[in-house]
Amino acid sequence: MRQFNEDTLTNEVVARLKKTKNPRLREIMTSLVKHVHAFAREVHLTEEEWFEGIKFLTSVGQKCDGKRQEFILLSDVLGLSMMVVALNHKTQAGATEATVLGPFFAHGAKEFGYGADLREGATMKGEDVWVSGRVLSVDGKPISNAALDIWQAKADGIYDLQTEGEFELRGRVKANAKGEYAFASYKPNFYSIPIDGPVGDMVRATTNNHMRPAHMHAIVSAPGYQQVITHVFVEGDPHLDGDAVYAVKNSLIGKYKRVNNPEQAKKRGLPNPFLTLTWDFRLAADKAGAKKARKKIAASDAVAT
Ligand code: BEZ
Ligand code: FE
């Protein structure tokens, strides 16, 4: 076959993809080709414009390194990350809702136990906060051996990974056998996503919306349960309705309360007064765990009858 035009080319590309052995890859590539061809036809893409597009994607790739992930940022601001989260995390009723991972998660953060101080070694102060709560199953039972990977920006809205230096305001906090966790940190502030790269140029050219409402990130995991990648936002933040990456959920907005209690402050190693955030995470059983729970219910039903 030869002599393709804008009406026949798509079918030929799709036909050649039929030989792809992996059926899922075939499905994804076929749909991708159909949609990008339709996009080019719809906007009548010029050669200059597509070359600009290629230059843009090239610079997104070139901006990436061990600390900077410009492609995740691109996916986030296009709403694609939250689209994939929405498709894949139809949260079981009662489970903590999932949001974007973002580009600033890092493996290898220090491990802490109950009552950790994530302010250790911080280069910048903020409002002291005692964050505590429980890790529970959706039916409210404490989960033992849960771990919470926590990270947040410094008071100036910059993450430790965006500068040289040690990890800051991040850690892997282990909950105790009763599912309880607690740590000291600083109250997060709203901040701008990184706009000093090609994604920033795109955001500036298309929208002014580059702010994220204040939040703390958490990945909560426990054996037998589905891990959740989530945020806790700050009630009253001015950017809750305009998040640059579309990640805000009503169920994820936390209340920071002021506490004036010198004794409690001393016990927790905080100045008085201080803030508290009380926040429970609820995890859905993983597929094997859910199966086991169903079996257990069936067995107890059989005993009851
Ligand atoms: C973040 O919350 O760390 C983040 C998420 C998406 C884009 C930029 C930053
Ligand atoms: Fe963040």
Side-chain angles (χ1 to χ4, degrees):
M1 283 284 280
R2 56 177 81 169
Q3 292 283 102
F4 304 110
N5 62 30
E6 68 268 37
D7 297 319
T8 59
L9 181 58
T10 309
N11 281 347
E12 177 62 12
V13 180
V14 166
R16 291 189 197 180
L17 286 169
K18 290 208 168 86
K19 287 194 243 78
T20 308
K21 287 212 172 64
N22 180 321
R24 180 63 176 156
L25 179 63
R26 189 190 322 129
E27 182 186 4
I28 289 172
M29 288 301 297
T30 300
S31 179
L32 180 70
V33 165
K34 283 183 183 168
H35 281 87
V36 292
H37 284 209
F39 152 73
R41 276 194 301 267
E42 184 179 316
V43 300
H44 200 110
L45 199 63
T46 68
E47 284 159 302
E48 292 76 20
E49 286 163 345
W50 182 222
F51 191 59
E52 275 306 308
I54 286 173
K55 271 194 346 204
F56 170 75
L57 291 172
T58 304
S59 58
V60 170
Q62 286 168 340
K63 192 76 186 166
C64 294
D65 58 27
K67 283 184 154 190
R68 176 81 179 235
Q69 232 307 347
E70 196 77 355
F71 267 114
I72 293 184
L73 194 58
L74 178 60
S75 163
D76 292 342
V77 301
L78 291 177
L80 187 54
S81 301
M82 274 312 288
M83 176 60 77
V84 175
V85 169
L87 289 169
N88 290 283
H89 296 274
K90 306 255 179 266
T91 314
Q92 188 185 331
T96 297
E97 289 195 270
T99 58
V100 287
L101 176 69
F104 299 124
F105 170 70
H107 290 283
K110 187 171 166 189
E111 292 209 0
F112 294 94
Y114 186 91
D117 191 352
L118 298 195
R119 301 166 306 166
E120 249 175 38
T123 56
M124 195 170 282
K125 284 197 180 310
E127 283 185 88
D128 301 272
V129 60
W130 182 253
V131 184
S132 65
R134 293 165 304 164
V135 182
L136 303 170
S137 61
V138 286
D139 50 0
K141 301 216 172 65
I143 297 175
S144 46
N145 298 321
L148 300 91
D149 285 293
I150 303 290
W151 71 105
Q152 68 172 75
K154 295 176 277 173
D156 59 358
I158 303 289
Y159 279 83
D160 50 2
L161 299 190
Q162 293 176 274
T163 52
E164 294 303 318
E166 303 293 312
F167 281 161
E168 201 167 329
L169 297 181
R170 72 170 71 226
R172 187 171 169 82
V173 179
K174 292 294 195 62
N176 66 19
K178 289 187 278 182
E180 298 160 337
Y181 75 90
F183 59 87
S185 188
Y186 294 127
K187 183 183 173 193
N189 287 328
F190 58 76
Y191 64 84
S192 169
I193 60 166
I195 50 168
D196 58 339
V199 172
D201 294 340
M202 185 192 79
V203 167
R204 261 189 304 275
T206 54
T207 160
N208 287 323
N209 195 18
H210 57 91
M211 299 304 290
R212 293 223 61 206
H215 58 272
M216 148 187 125
H217 294 261
I219 301 179
V220 187
S221 43
Y225 291 85
Q226 289 173 37
Q227 167 183 286
V228 66
I229 299 174
T230 189
H231 288 35
V232 184
F233 294 96
V234 177
E235 189 181 73
D237 187 279
H239 298 287
L240 285 171
D241 287 317
D243 184 6
V245 305
Y246 312 95
V248 178
K249 306 271 187 193
N250 286 331
S251 71
L252 300 180
I253 300 175
K255 241 192 186 100
Y256 283 73
K257 291 188 187 146
R258 187 160 297 280
V259 173
N260 190 343
N261 184 326
E263 215 173 286
Q264 269 190 35
K266 194 166 167 215
K267 207 167 102 194
R268 294 167 177 177
L270 298 172
N272 191 56
F274 61 98
L275 297 171
T276 57
L277 169 68
T278 307
W279 193 259
D280 290 344
F281 295 94
R282 287 175 185 255
L283 304 184
D286 67 18
K287 296 213 167 83
K291 225 174 172 178
K292 222 161 97 189
R294 274 200 301 276
K295 259 194 192 155
K296 218 164 128 187
I297 291 166
S300 64
D301 282 354
V303 169
T305 51

